[in-house]
Amino acid sequence: METMNGSTYQAANKVADIITSHFKKHLIVAKEEGEDDLAHVPAAVLVEKIIDVAFWASLRKEEGNATRISLAFLKPSQAGKPLLFEKRIPLTPHALTKLAPGVERAGVHVGIWYEGDELYIWGTTIKLPNLCFVLDVSEPGLLVVKHRRAAGLGKFTNVAVLRGDQVKVINEDIGKLAETPPILKSLLGVETTCLWNDGVNVLIQIAVSMRAHKRGGILLVTPYGSDAWRDSIIHPLQYPVVPAFAGIADLIRHDGKKVTEIFWQNALRREVENITGLTAVDGATVINNQQELLAFGAKIARAKDAKPVDQILLTEPILDGVPTLMHPSSIGGTRHLSAAQFVHDQRDALALVASQDGYFTVFSWSDKANLVQAHRIDILLI
């Protein structure tokens, strides 16, 4: 039988205390704000063990397939109607590798609890308490620590990303800066809402879907009722949409309190996939900030009398991250250059750029710095 007498994955030890402190801080705030159904905080030694076991499991394969699994730290009593195993299973890389094929679907979590210093698997669940510690094994060597939002809505909030010996811990304080785009504030948990039909939550789902299709693409988000964006597009448009397609917009306008969460999420998923599929077409997809589709396959051009964008400020929301001035082509080539130029010319717009290699960047204008900001957010979308 495999044992867990101390971690052999050094990154687990490096990040365990930071992760535990994060969860403790958020649990305290949630209790002060009157939140209920709150999770328990795992001690640092348990966090280290869970990460260590998950890392070594991620490097194993079962019948040629890599281990993909989601682990959640909670008691069975907090899991609603869990699937309970008759006997506890010690938490080991071998156990996770064997179990993974049956629980790799999105939304299914392997329940982990402890007795003394020993961790064990008690079953599976699709329901989690608020702020529950979750560790996703996404691909070989790639682990993501996250938690369910206190509002219980949308994408989980990422806490740390571990890829081999590289550790990135999310810096939530960046979300408190005045000119941080709402999508980044929401992903960092600084500004969240429990409304299913909130426009920012919908934009996050679009971003996740764009990254998932792995073809790369540009999404331009323009002000509702304004045609100024057309000044930065080559005409004639390749695929204009008239009237504007309002599949997602109609869902947002619908009263989210009058439908079930499952109904709304399924309907939104279909509409999001419909839009984000178009971002794989060469050129940019254009929507307004009411999520109405205006065009796709659009070629971005420098607006008349506008100057070429020659530098942007690149940021990443991680601890010890340092904003860096650079030419926009240096972070990803022509897609990033054209997106930066668009925002430089259309300063009340956003540009979301997905790269084929998984990187994801949001471009916005900073009045304070008087230049384009490039926010690299892929570590928040995993």
Side-chain angles (χ1 to χ4, degrees):
M1 179 180 295
E2 297 174 71
T3 60
M4 297 181 300
N5 296 323
S7 63
T8 53
Y9 176 41
Q10 295 303 311
N13 175 267
K14 179 180 178 180
V15 79
D17 285 327
I18 297 174
I19 290 173
T20 296
S21 296
H22 170 94
F23 279 89
K24 285 181 177 178
K25 180 183 72 174
H26 281 271
L27 261 295
I28 289 172
V29 172
K31 288 177 181 177
E32 291 175 347
E33 294 179 349
E35 299 286 349
D36 54 10
D37 190 26
L38 295 173
H40 296 273
V41 178
V45 64
L46 298 179
V47 170
E48 182 179 344
K49 288 182 178 181
I50 294 171
I51 293 175
D52 183 66
V53 172
F55 174 75
W56 295 113
S58 78
L59 303 182
R60 295 182 173 219
K61 291 185 177 181
E62 179 69 10
E63 296 183 349
N65 295 310
T67 300
R68 296 184 61 191
I69 197 166
S70 178
L71 311 179
F73 183 81
L74 74 163
K75 296 178 179 178
S77 60
Q78 287 193 291
K81 296 182 178 179
L83 185 157
L84 292 171
F85 299 155
E86 181 180 7
K87 296 180 180 179
R88 298 174 178 178
I89 301 174
L91 182 66
T92 66
H94 176 77
L96 294 183
T97 303
K98 288 295 183 182
L99 189 58
V103 295
E104 65 179 14
R105 298 282 183 174
V108 179
H109 309 279
V110 173
I112 306 295
W113 197 241
Y114 69 104
E115 186 170 308
D117 290 333
E118 296 302 317
L119 290 154
Y120 62 85
I121 301 168
W122 53 255
T124 68
T125 180
I126 58 174
K127 180 184 180 299
L128 300 176
N130 294 324
L131 298 172
C132 182
F133 172 95
V134 173
L135 177 62
D136 272 356
V137 177
S138 301
E139 61 185 53
L142 176 61
L143 311 179
V144 184
V145 178
K146 56 184 65 177
H147 63 72
R148 186 173 185 266
R149 296 166 186 255
L153 174 76
K155 188 190 178 302
F156 284 31
T157 299
N158 290 2
V159 178
V161 176
L162 299 89
R163 188 189 298 270
D165 60 358
Q166 184 183 55
V167 178
K168 292 185 176 181
V169 179
I170 308 304
N171 182 3
E172 298 171 301
D173 290 339
I174 288 178
K176 299 175 184 178
L177 300 178
E179 294 185 310
T180 301
I183 184 175
L184 182 52
K185 288 179 179 287
S186 183
L187 283 167
L188 291 170
V190 175
E191 292 182 0
T192 59
T193 174
C194 60
L195 295 177
W196 300 339
N197 54 351
D198 177 74
V200 176
N201 286 332
V202 173
L203 193 60
I204 289 172
Q205 300 308 311
I206 293 174
V208 171
S209 183
M210 281 181 66
R211 185 175 182 273
H213 69 50
K214 297 181 179 181
R215 293 178 179 271
I218 302 175
L219 180 73
L220 306 177
V221 185
T222 65
Y224 177 77
S226 172
D227 284 333
W229 61 272
R230 294 176 178 272
D231 296 336
S232 297
I233 300 295
I234 294 175
H235 294 272
L237 288 166
Q238 185 74 15
Y239 302 106
V241 178
V242 181
F245 180 68
I248 293 178
D250 287 343
L251 280 175
I252 293 176
R253 297 183 186 114
H254 192 82
D255 185 355
K257 296 179 181 179
K258 294 182 180 180
V259 297
T260 66
E261 183 175 356
I262 292 176
F263 170 84
W264 193 89
Q265 287 182 343
N266 287 338
L268 176 63
R269 186 178 300 111
R270 290 192 298 269
E271 295 296 347
V272 163
E273 290 176 353
N274 190 18
I275 297 300
T276 55
L278 299 177
T279 65
V281 176
D282 185 37
T285 297
V286 186
I287 65 173
N288 60 35
N289 55 16
Q290 299 296 312
Q291 277 71 44
E292 294 176 331
L293 176 66
L294 306 177
F296 65 97
K299 305 297 184 181
I300 298 173
R302 179 155 47 96
K304 185 179 179 181
D305 299 327
K307 296 180 179 179
V309 58
D310 57 1
Q311 68 176 9
I312 53 94
L313 185 66
L314 177 65
T315 67
E316 189 174 17
I318 58 174
L319 293 180
D320 301 323
V322 179
T324 306
L325 283 171
M326 61 176 59
H327 193 274
S329 63
S330 300
I331 64 172
T334 55
R335 271 200 190 102
H336 295 77
L337 177 58
S338 59
Q341 185 68 56
F342 184 87
V343 171
H344 179 270
D345 300 347
Q346 307 294 330
R347 298 181 178 182
D348 49 4
L350 285 179
L352 281 61
V353 181
S355 301
Q356 291 176 323
D357 54 9
Y359 290 114
F360 199 98
T361 310
V362 176
F363 291 88
S364 66
W365 177 258
S366 169
D367 286 324
K368 183 177 181 180
N370 196 36
L371 50 68
V372 176
Q373 296 181 114
H375 313 270
R376 179 151 278 172
I377 66 167
D378 37 278
I379 62 170
L380 303 176
L381 299 175
I382 299 174

